[in-house]
């Protein structure tokens, strides 16, 4: 099997069609079909099946896709580590981050961090928590910044940063819905639309926990990105459980407001995590220590892991 075949298999699996995979890979549809046929002949089983106008993996194809993702990740990691060994002044940080961190916070942190490290290279994947942990397990990223992992997830936390989850609404619409005190009743909260993230998102899980705790069944609208959810709240199309990190400016100006709906607001932690059972790379340790020392952020490294 070649890397081209494995990448093609994953592209078909993730996009659901030959044509979409060809656009992602910048090749023709005929080239994708030919590559998939050659791979199926080599392994001796059917790897895909037609689903309407699209394409899905067979059970055998799904098994191979898991290995393909891991193999490609290990190969990429091997290349990175080999180049670093050849030139110790050069290093690569492969970071995965949830949307709030990746879109709102990490760019600012990296600006200062990279200013003093001209030979550093960063790649960034922004995805939901479930996807990030899979990327970490597949060696596609070296660390993730996300909500706290469960014991069953393959992540060891090496640093944390406290943030706050709150139920956020457009200020003008909130007064229309809930009155001047912004202390809505449970019935009022259950009558408005809740904007939630896609399945696999930690923010969605927090919203679902609150909905369950309040014993309400509000209308919901699933939104595929943190930024889109923030914009919909700003337009008054619903309320959302969201980290105040991502709406700090809007809360300060009064455009958005935090609703008094216990148990929110609630303190949570962003966690910087690495693969369980593997020591963090020197680049990861360097970043964690920078985040602690910079003063702009309050990541607290775990001394038994980072040797502080």
């Amino acid at each position: 099997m070649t890397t081209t075949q494995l990448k093609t298999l994953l592209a078909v699996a993730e996009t659901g069609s030959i044509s979409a995979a060809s656009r992602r890979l910048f090749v023709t549809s005929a080239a994708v079909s030919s590559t998939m046929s050659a791979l199926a002949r080599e392994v001796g089983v059917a790897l895909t099946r037609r689903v309407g106008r699209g394409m899905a993996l067979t059970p055998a194809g799904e098994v191979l896709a898991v290995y393909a993702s891991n193999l490609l990740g290990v190969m990429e990691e091997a290349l990175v580590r080999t180049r670093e060994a050849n030139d110790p002044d050069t290093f690569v940080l492969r970071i995965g981050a949830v949307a709030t961190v990746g879109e709102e916070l990490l760019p600012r942190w990296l600006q200062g961090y990279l200013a003093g490290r001209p030979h550093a290279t960063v790649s960034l994947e922004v995805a939901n928590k479930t996807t990030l942990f899979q990327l970490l397990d597949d060696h596609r990223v070296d660390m993730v910044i996300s909500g706290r992992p469960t014991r069953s997830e393959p992540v060891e936390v090496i640093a944390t940063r406290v943030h706050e989850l709150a139920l956020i609404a457009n200020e003008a619409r909130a007064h229309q819905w809930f009155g001047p005190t912004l202390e809505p009743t449970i019935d009022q909260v259950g009558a408005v639309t809740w904007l939630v993230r896609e399945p696999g998102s930690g923010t969605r899980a927090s919203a679902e926990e609150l909905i369950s705790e309040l014993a309400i069944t509000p209308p919901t609208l699933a939104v595929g990105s943190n930024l889109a959810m923030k914009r919909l709240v700003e337009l008054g199309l619903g309320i959302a459980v969201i980290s105040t990190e991502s709406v700090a400016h809007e809360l300060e100006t009064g455009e958005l407001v935090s609703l008094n709906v216990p148990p929110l607001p609630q303190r949570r932690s962003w966690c910087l995590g690495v693969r369980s059972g593997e020591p963090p790379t020197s680049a990861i340790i360097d970043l964690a220590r920078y985040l602690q020392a910079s003063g702009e952020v309050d990541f607290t490294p775990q001394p038994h892991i980072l040797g502080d």
Side-chain angles (χ1 to χ4, degrees):
M1 292 181 288
T2 67
T3 56
T4 297
Q5 289 174 331
L6 298 179
K7 289 177 180 178
T8 302
L9 174 69
L10 291 180
V12 171
E14 293 166 3
T15 64
S17 75
I18 295 294
S19 58
S22 70
R23 290 191 294 271
R24 173 179 291 191
L25 298 171
F26 299 100
V27 298
T28 65
S29 295
V32 172
S33 296
S34 176
T35 300
M36 290 298 296
S37 296
L39 181 59
R41 285 195 301 272
E42 180 170 348
V43 299
V45 297
L47 299 174
T48 59
R49 57 187 176 85
R50 284 284 180 186
V51 178
R53 295 184 177 181
M55 189 78 69
L57 298 186
T58 63
E62 291 174 356
V63 169
L64 183 57
V66 172
Y67 282 99
S69 182
N70 192 267
L71 285 167
L72 291 171
V74 170
M75 291 173 66
E76 178 184 310
E77 183 181 44
L79 183 60
V80 167
R81 300 286 94 86
T82 301
R83 288 173 174 171
E84 287 177 342
N86 183 62
D87 184 357
D89 291 330
T90 299
F91 61 88
V92 177
L93 277 168
R94 300 185 303 159
I95 304 173
V98 293
T100 300
V101 176
E103 295 170 356
E104 303 286 345
L105 304 178
L106 198 54
R108 185 176 73 242
W109 301 343
L110 289 175
Q111 181 183 28
Y113 178 74
L114 294 175
R117 295 161 178 80
H119 300 294
T121 301
V122 174
S123 65
L124 174 61
E125 292 279 352
V126 177
N128 63 46
K129 181 180 174 183
T130 300
T131 300
L132 290 178
F133 289 166
Q134 187 61 58
L135 290 172
L136 185 68
D137 194 41
D138 287 344
H139 295 254
R140 308 298 290 273
V141 297
D142 298 314
M143 71 177 194
V144 296
I145 306 177
S146 70
R148 186 170 294 279
T150 65
R151 290 183 178 181
S152 64
E153 290 165 328
V155 183
E156 184 163 10
V157 175
I158 65 171
T160 59
R161 181 183 194 272
V162 174
H163 71 109
E164 185 177 83
L165 278 181
L167 189 60
I168 303 298
N170 171 278
E171 190 269 344
R173 293 304 302 270
H175 285 296
Q176 294 175 10
W177 290 328
F178 310 126
T181 64
L182 297 182
E183 295 185 0
T185 66
I186 291 178
D187 287 342
Q188 287 176 321
V189 169
V192 299
T193 298
W194 286 56
L195 305 168
V196 297
R197 291 290 306 279
E198 75 285 357
S201 164
T203 303
R204 180 186 177 114
S206 296
E208 291 175 339
E209 288 173 10
L210 180 60
I211 289 171
S212 176
E213 185 169 340
L214 297 176
I216 57 177
T217 54
T220 60
L221 174 62
V223 184
S225 80
N226 201 63
L227 182 59
M229 188 164 71
K230 174 180 170 180
R231 292 289 178 256
L232 291 172
V233 174
E234 290 174 345
L235 292 170
L237 297 181
I239 61 178
V241 174
I242 194 169
S243 172
T244 56
E245 299 273 19
S246 64
V247 291
H249 174 73
E250 292 80 3
L251 289 173
E252 184 177 343
T253 61
E255 182 180 354
L256 299 180
V257 292
S258 175
L259 302 174
N260 184 14
V261 181
L264 296 182
Q266 199 170 61
R267 287 165 69 85
R268 296 291 179 89
S269 292
W270 299 126
C271 297
L272 196 161
V274 297
R275 277 182 298 279
S276 296
E278 296 184 16
T281 67
S282 58
I284 294 172
I285 293 174
D286 186 54
L287 176 62
R289 288 176 174 163
Y290 166 82
L291 293 176
Q292 181 190 39
S294 66
E296 182 181 12
V297 295
D298 59 1
F299 264 104
T300 303
Q302 307 299 308
H304 71 284
I305 297 176
L306 299 189
D308 288 338

